[in-house]
Amino acid sequence: MIEQYRFGTALCTKSQWILRDIELLMRNNAHSSLLVEFLITTCDNKLSKQLERHASSTS
């Protein structure tokens, strides 16, 4: 449906499986907007602050 009706697409993932669909996503991006966000979760407060300064600490 995304390709048929040329919908824009936004994805938010923690998974490497996004790579499985890269060709489909690239075809979609050729005619519509595409936004892919990656989430990174960590229990390391120092690293967490480097990745996202204003996020709450995990501990």
Side-chain angles (χ1 to χ4, degrees):
M1 286 183 62
I2 290 171
E3 282 194 89
Q4 180 180 354
Y5 294 104
R6 298 184 176 255
F7 292 140
T9 309
L11 301 171
C12 187
T13 184
K14 289 184 178 187
S15 174
Q16 66 182 1
W17 290 106
I18 190 100
L19 297 174
R20 177 194 62 188
D21 298 322
I22 195 74
E23 289 182 24
L24 173 66
L25 296 170
M26 290 174 66
R27 283 197 314 265
N28 179 252
N29 192 45
H31 58 72
S32 302
S33 60
L34 172 66
L35 171 67
V36 178
E37 296 179 5
F38 295 92
L39 299 174
I40 300 172
T41 304
T42 179
C43 293
D44 181 329
N45 285 330
K46 184 178 178 183
L47 177 58
S48 180
K49 287 296 177 193
Q50 290 175 339
L51 296 173
E52 192 173 4
R53 284 186 333 162
H54 302 291
S56 300
S57 68
T58 57
S59 57

